[in-house]
Amino acid sequence: MRYPPFVPLVTVLSAGALVLTACGSPESAAGGDADGPIRIGLVYSVSGPLATYGEQYYQGFEAGLEYATGGTMEIDGRPVEVTTRDDAGDPTKAVSAARELIGEGYDIIAGSTASGVAVQVAPIAEQNDVLFISGPAATDAITGVNDHTFRSGRQTYQDILAAGSFMDDPEGKKVTVFAQQNAFGQDNVDAVTAVLEAEGAEVDSVLAPPDTTDLTPFAEQVRQAEPDLLFVAWAGETASAMWKSLNQQGVLDATEVVTGLDIKASYPVFGEAEGKISFLSHYFDGAAETEAAQMMQEFVEGNGGEVDLFTPDGFTAAQMVVHAVTEGDTTEERIRALEGWTFEGVKGTLTIRAEDHALLQPMYQVRLVGSGADAVPELIAEIPAADVEPPVAE
């Protein structure tokens, strides 16, 4: 099996193990045979500005199912059936897709590449008593939002605590957050403000519309702010234009810059600013040497893909699904099975905090070595999960 150029509505993960059904057919109706397939709905960005992230998530999910089921693609003897829907990063489309899947009898929904999508799907999970495992969406609002919602990736607060590991005493320092004007961007502003203002820093922000391609005016605003530290939180296809604008405005030479290491396609742009940027990282290819990381890489590359930033989020989601279904038949039983669960994942030991379902995990300090197209990440240090643990959501 090699990854197709598009994702069909019903995805066969293993021809020998999965049941092919047409969406909405009598065979796929709710309340089926207890020995019938385990049906999982993935609602994520197949298209749209975060499609690259979505593809990484999907490939990781397939690898995670292979790993967690021991290659059988079955859970307790029942075949796994995965149906995918494209939300294109649009909350309205995501809500519609989730409702359709739930109406067809799916009681496990995963995905959500975009933060704005995740916060809209989460209430639907609670209203309909289904399990929802959010994906790469980093918004802190997902943590603790309700009992039915979990996450398979990191959250913004963990990014900010990882960024703080690069800083000396922030007392009296001016910090500017440069981000997009969306849920992800505002989450970063809120988290930086909460963490660094408490330590005596002054925090402001420059926010740009997520679909704008002319970022020069916003880079100029950043330059005029004259921060001691610039924290950049960016996602999607305009990242390259954003970094070029900052570099052209001289911002990278004028102040200390900290940001999250983005996907591989962004490395050449970062490489042009070699030595000017400090990187925190949720994950990069080669960050961990665990058994799960090795299997994920072999599976993804063996099927024509490439491990990148959000591949582990899909892998972890699959591990969570398999554990939940193995331990419980009802949504309530599956929720209790996941709460407090500690397991070995791609990044090492992960724990789902029982109180609010935060996924506790290590993070990384990274440097880019080389320049331009030859830039590659190099691990500086692994930041223990305890050092980037977010406060319990109330």
Side-chain angles (χ1 to χ4, degrees):
M1 175 192 64
R2 299 183 72 83
Y3 296 120
F6 65 93
V7 181
L9 287 183
V10 178
T11 303
V12 184
L13 298 184
S14 170
L18 296 189
V19 176
L20 276 174
T21 61
C23 293
S25 69
E27 292 81 7
S28 64
D33 193 327
D35 295 325
I38 303 296
R39 305 172 69 226
I40 305 162
L42 293 188
V43 181
Y44 70 104
S45 293
V46 180
S47 63
L50 300 182
T52 301
Y53 297 171
E55 182 180 18
Q56 294 168 20
Y57 172 86
Y58 174 72
Q59 293 177 2
F61 191 87
E62 288 193 312
L65 278 182
E66 175 80 10
Y67 179 80
T69 65
T72 66
M73 292 298 182
E74 295 182 348
I75 304 175
D76 286 344
R78 299 172 64 185
V80 177
E81 178 186 299
V82 178
T83 297
T84 65
R85 297 287 173 86
D86 180 16
D87 62 30
D90 182 339
T92 301
K93 291 181 179 179
V95 166
S96 177
R99 290 190 185 281
E100 288 176 3
L101 289 167
I102 292 168
E104 293 167 11
Y106 289 77
D107 57 6
I108 300 175
I109 304 295
S112 291
T113 317
S115 292
V117 166
V119 296
Q120 295 297 320
V121 174
I124 295 171
E126 182 179 39
Q127 293 162 11
N128 292 275
D129 192 29
V130 302
L131 182 66
F132 172 49
I133 302 175
S134 180
T139 176
D140 291 316
I142 286 300
T143 297
V145 65
N146 58 52
D147 287 345
H148 291 67
T149 299
F150 293 77
R151 68 187 322 139
S152 64
R154 96 298 187 205
Q155 65 185 77
T156 298
Y157 213 101
Q158 290 164 313
D159 283 345
I160 304 309
L161 291 173
S165 69
F166 287 97
M167 294 185 64
D168 295 328
D169 185 7
E171 178 71 34
K173 299 290 181 64
K174 183 176 182 181
V175 178
T176 296
V177 182
F178 186 31
Q180 291 153 305
Q181 199 168 25
N182 55 21
F184 173 70
Q186 190 59 54
D187 242 29
N188 275 273
V189 174
D190 294 344
V192 171
T193 301
V195 172
L196 296 185
E197 281 196 350
E199 298 183 19
E202 175 189 344
V203 179
D204 64 10
S205 63
V206 174
L207 301 178
D211 57 352
T212 188
T213 56
D214 181 10
L215 291 158
T216 300
F218 301 97
E220 173 64 15
Q221 290 180 46
V222 171
R223 186 182 65 80
Q224 292 177 354
E226 298 183 342
D228 297 301
L229 173 72
L230 175 65
F231 180 77
V232 180
W234 212 268
E237 298 174 347
T238 59
S240 294
M242 180 272 298
W243 286 111
K244 287 179 181 177
S245 295
L246 287 178
N247 205 21
Q248 289 169 355
Q249 292 299 314
V251 174
L252 303 183
D253 293 316
T255 188
E256 182 177 358
V257 180
V258 177
T259 192
L261 185 65
D262 201 2
I263 60 176
K264 289 180 176 179
S266 72
Y267 294 174
V269 177
F270 285 137
E272 294 173 5
E274 182 184 6
K276 301 178 182 179
I277 305 173
S278 297
F279 296 96
L280 64 95
S281 179
H282 161 50
Y283 193 77
F284 63 91
D285 188 1
E289 297 180 352
T290 63
E291 175 186 300
Q294 181 179 354
M295 182 274 166
M296 179 180 72
Q297 184 160 21
E298 291 174 354
F299 183 92
V300 170
E301 292 181 355
N303 286 282
E306 185 176 43
V307 170
D308 210 330
L309 178 63
F310 292 116
T311 318
D313 293 20
F315 193 99
T316 301
Q319 288 183 287
M320 292 169 68
V321 167
V322 173
H323 178 73
V325 173
T326 300
E327 298 296 323
D329 294 323
T330 68
T331 297
E332 178 66 21
E333 290 172 346
R334 292 167 181 176
I335 290 171
R336 299 299 164 238
L338 289 175
E339 289 181 334
W341 184 41
T342 295
F343 58 105
E344 295 303 309
V346 171
K347 299 172 68 174
T349 303
L350 309 178
T351 297
I352 301 170
R353 192 163 60 193
E355 295 90 337
D356 60 3
H357 304 172
L359 184 63
L360 308 183
Q361 59 193 289
M363 299 283 282
Y364 307 99
Q365 290 184 346
V366 180
R367 68 169 62 92
L368 278 179
V369 179
S371 60
D374 296 323
V376 293
E378 179 178 271
L379 180 66
I380 298 173
E382 179 178 302
I383 308 171
D387 291 352
V388 289
E389 181 173 346
V392 176
E394 298 179 357

